[in-house]
Amino acid sequence: MTGDPVQKELGEYWRTVECVKAIDLSTKPDSYLAERIEAARLLRAGQTKQGIYSGLQIETFAIVREAARRAIGLDAFDVQLIAGMAMARGCLAELPTGEGKTLAAVFSACVRALSGRGVHILTFNDYLARRDAAWMGPVYRMLGLGVGCIQEGMSLSEKRAAYGCDVTYASAKEAGFDFLRDQVAYDRDAIVHRPFNFALIDEADSILIDEARIPLVISGAEVRASWDTHLLASVVRTLLPVRDFETDGEHRNVFLTDAGIEKVESVLGCGSLYAANNQTLLEAVYCALHARALLRLDVDYIVRGDRIEIVDEYTGRVVDKRHWPDGLQAAVEAKEGLFRNAQGRVLGSITLQHFFRLYPVVSGMTATAQSSADEICEFYGMRVVVIPPHTPSVRVDHPEAVFTHCEAKRRALVREISNVHALGRPILVGTASIKESEGLAADLRSAAIRCTVLNAKNDELEAGIIAKAGMLGAVTISTNMAGRGVDIKLGGSDESQRDAVLALGGLYVIGTNRHESLRIDRQLRGRAGRQGDPGASCFFISLEDDLFDHYGLSRMLMTRHRLSLQDEALAGNSIRREIAHAQRIIEGQNFGIRRTLFKFSSLVEVQRQIIQARREEALLGSGQPEMTTLDVSAEASSEFSLREPVLHREGVQRFGIDRMIEIERRATLFHLDRLWSDHLAWIQDVRDSIHLVHLGAREPIEEFIKWATDEFFRMEKSLDEAVISEITSIIRTKGPIDDELDRLRGPSSTWTYLVNDENQFGWGVEMVKPRKMAFFGIGDSLVAGPALIGSLIHGPLFMLTLLLNHIFHRKRKS
């Protein structure tokens, strides 16, 4: 896609809206609406792609609008129609908070469902999927469209039925996990997805950017950890900062000093820590050191029962099923004195970023996308369409109050909250961590102010706490949990005190930190002033906050502006401009990091697609492109038999054609899954330590590409040898072979989780991070290192080369 990734000129959309509104269906019976949708289905089958955006869309939107009035009592605003049109075109609709994006999604879903190939509406969690499917379901059913909802724990048949509906609501993660389960199926009846068609992503900027590069993982058999993690935790606990180890300016990486290396080698008695035979030990030591120095209790994670639970930095919520990479997860558990029995053997993995790219068309909706429009356009080809609110916002966004140090900020926060609370106006305070939320709550209680705390430690109480957050006199302290998908009703859940709260100016939102992403700040401000209600927001920040400390900005700003510690907020706008500038630079740097990491994961994704294509041939018969429409019959030749006809004929003579094809299928699937799992483990080991190649003045991304490609071809060769050996052994086994076939099965049970590699050693990070001084004096542009530039130039060429090599390699063998 070329041109401006942000579209604000909506003239074409407004003209189409007028055409939709000109169609009066108020006197037509319900049956007429369903009949016209069915007629549109038939018409869509014979139309070009462009046709869906012309007359067919106009009539469909008019029908859906009337159905929503009748079925759920909602009359769509013009801006909701525009959002629906933008999403139907594969754009990301930015519609302000509280403007009814849930209904807008129904319009685009219905238009895209006319193809008969299914629509997925992907949400942040199971609760939202269930809520939206139940809420909007009557509209679809009135039109004769099937609507399904995916929930964790459903049976295969239930999921297959739900995915078979015209419109399916699911969390993005559960849809991705189901895809991974399909990839390790040993029977076509275990496959629940049908070929992908159209995805509409709710809270799209969060899922497409913040969550997108987090790998989804499916695991099976168990393996033991290689090193005593508790021993290593005790060793690194004795190391002293600065003398034995150092962190970089952004606290993303940690390094042993010469003194630290000598101390570790002496305690462990392992000889040189950097010897080739100590590679896994070196990785384990760095995991332990990373857990000790960079991951903080009640900030990055909490301990609940006998488990580590990761806190999402963007939402403040405990993230279900999320782990760090196994070595780092084990190190954090050891740090906190927890014990684990085993680790999972990874069977398959895919990042959400690559999962979404499997859909031919992806669209989305959110309230905060403009600042990330370039990234969304680059990775997904989506233009952001900015849509104005139905009712203009009257929220007052005060300029932030900037303090030189945290103690001054805390005192000012208590004063501000006390003054506003005395009026009875409801207050929502957004904090950056559990520790900060609980510390501020203690300060307020000392000042005789009653408050309610919402954070990851009591997330199960979220709905009840938020229901009361808009009541008179309410003071709610929250991490970013109250940021997305939350509607705080003024006056409480029943709005009984609404008029009184409106008279006081509505909800007052206070942020206690600026975040690395401006989108998070905007989401917090957006809790106030929804749908034209009054409200206000203000940020209280200090130059000692984590954002400034992590990026080495505190001392710079103090020196640059000749500041000394003071109790009052800093006057003037220059410091605010510098902070806003730094925030833009940090956003750009994080974009660069994600771009670089995408290069690493893209190589593995190409390899996954090659392996999966071969797996589909084995599972469903050769020459058949779509998994859910395949029939395995006695006449269908297996991919193996085409390459090894002599061995195949020998097996057919003993077992018959049906049995022999089943043997070939089982052997191929079993060894393919085993070797691919080994390959993924190898890839993870390389990722854990690839940053160390800098010690030899080599570029991590170049070395990774070389190593991973060589290893992939070795794996393919090993696969062919293993399958031939397995089939030969079975054919020549005397007596029944049922036990042999039973052995060639996948694991009896699997489980899924997400890998939280946000803080994993920063491998590749240093290639895109300018030095700290780059925050000032070079404008808004980033300076990419030569490795990044090289990867951008050569990455696509490498992918093409890999695919061509694989094709020719396969042809030579067949």
Side-chain angles (χ1 to χ4, degrees), residues 214-515:
I214 296 173
L216 302 156
V217 174
I218 184 168
S219 288
E222 298 178 339
V223 294
R224 294 277 177 179
S226 302
W227 290 94
D228 184 340
T229 54
H230 289 267
L231 170 63
L232 298 181
S234 66
V235 170
V236 301
R237 203 174 289 126
T238 66
L239 301 180
L240 300 176
V242 181
R243 193 178 86 88
D244 296 326
F245 67 88
E246 296 178 349
T247 60
D248 63 4
E250 294 81 20
H251 293 268
R252 293 182 185 271
N253 299 284
V254 62
F255 308 96
L256 286 170
T257 64
D258 290 343
I261 292 170
E262 290 178 6
K263 181 182 286 188
V264 171
E265 291 173 345
S266 174
V267 173
L268 295 179
C270 61
S272 172
L273 195 57
Y274 290 88
N277 62 323
N278 279 333
Q279 180 181 347
T280 57
L281 173 60
L282 177 64
E283 294 166 8
V285 168
Y286 267 95
C287 280
L289 186 58
H290 186 99
R292 181 249 164 117
L294 301 183
L295 296 178
R296 298 163 294 171
L297 179 66
D298 287 344
V299 176
D300 302 299
Y301 65 92
I302 63 173
V303 177
R304 184 179 287 171
D306 60 352
R307 291 188 302 150
I308 294 292
E309 297 192 341
I310 294 176
V311 177
D312 186 281
E313 66 175 307
Y314 296 104
T315 67
R317 291 179 170 89
V318 164
V319 188
D320 185 41
K321 288 186 171 183
R322 185 173 295 183
H323 294 181
W324 282 294
D326 270 325
L328 185 56
Q329 181 77 16
V332 177
E333 291 167 352
K335 170 188 173 183
E336 298 298 337
L338 304 177
F339 289 86
R340 56 162 41 189
N341 293 322
Q343 301 174 196
R345 178 184 177 88
V346 175
L347 303 177
S349 177
I350 190 170
T351 64
L352 282 171
Q353 197 171 54
H354 289 296
F355 174 65
F356 295 138
R357 291 164 68 94
L358 298 176
Y359 288 86
V361 182
V362 180
S363 68
M365 54 187 182
T366 186
T368 49
Q370 284 191 69
S371 60
S372 301
D374 288 333
E375 182 168 354
I376 291 167
C377 184
E378 176 177 326
F379 286 134
Y380 304 101
M382 276 193 286
R383 180 175 283 114
V384 174
V385 178
V386 180
I387 303 166
H390 170 67
T391 304
S393 173
V394 295
R395 184 184 70 231
V396 178
D397 293 329
H398 299 290
E400 60 263 67
V402 184
F403 298 86
T404 56
H405 56 296
C406 286
E407 193 57 39
K409 180 183 79 169
R410 289 181 64 173
R411 289 194 292 266
L413 276 169
V414 173
R415 287 196 303 270
E416 179 76 358
I417 294 169
S418 298
N419 293 337
V420 175
H421 176 64
L423 303 174
R425 187 178 187 181
I427 304 169
L428 172 68
V429 184
T431 63
S433 69
I434 297 169
K435 178 182 285 187
E436 185 183 21
S437 68
E438 294 178 342
L440 179 58
D443 291 343
L444 293 178
R445 290 173 186 137
S446 297
I449 298 174
R450 294 182 60 186
C451 61
T452 304
V453 178
L454 171 62
N455 60 37
K457 287 188 174 179
N458 63 344
D459 52 355
E460 71 279 1
L461 304 176
E462 178 176 3
I465 292 173
I466 290 300
K468 299 176 182 178
M471 296 179 66
L472 283 170
V475 178
T476 307
I477 301 175
S478 175
T479 54
N480 292 336
M481 293 177 68
R484 292 181 182 269
V486 174
D487 190 2
I488 298 174
K489 294 185 177 181
L490 300 185
S493 57
D494 60 356
E495 301 187 4
S496 58
Q497 302 170 348
R498 178 176 171 79
D499 290 342
V501 173
L502 288 174
L504 292 170
L507 181 68
Y508 184 33
V509 171
I510 299 175
T512 65
N513 289 266
R514 291 290 288 267
H515 297 86

Side-chain angles (χ1 to χ4, degrees), residues 88-198:
R89 294 186 174 193
C91 297
L92 196 161
E94 179 178 287
L95 195 60
T97 54
E99 291 293 318
K101 292 186 285 292
T102 305
L103 177 59
V106 176
F107 288 89
S108 50
C110 287
V111 167
R112 284 289 179 172
L114 297 179
S115 68
R117 294 194 295 273
V119 168
H120 291 175
I121 299 181
L122 303 177
T123 64
F124 198 80
N125 55 42
D126 277 3
Y127 162 73
L128 293 174
R130 185 171 64 252
R131 183 199 71 179
D132 293 352
W135 187 10
M136 298 294 131
V139 181
Y140 297 114
R141 286 188 283 272
M142 178 174 282
L143 300 178
L145 297 174
V147 57
C149 177
I150 298 296
Q151 298 284 283
E152 183 182 357
M154 292 172 64
S155 68
L156 290 177
S157 59
E158 289 172 327
K159 284 192 170 183
R160 193 180 301 109
Y163 283 123
C165 292
D166 296 297
V167 179
T168 305
Y169 285 82
S171 74
K173 293 166 188 170
E174 192 63 21
F177 285 141
D178 285 336
F179 172 77
L180 288 178
R181 293 184 188 102
D182 285 351
Q183 305 303 287
V184 296
Y186 270 65
D187 192 302
R188 68 173 183 169
D189 291 336
I191 297 172
V192 298
H193 274 297
R194 55 174 165 162
F196 293 149
N197 173 42
F198 177 77

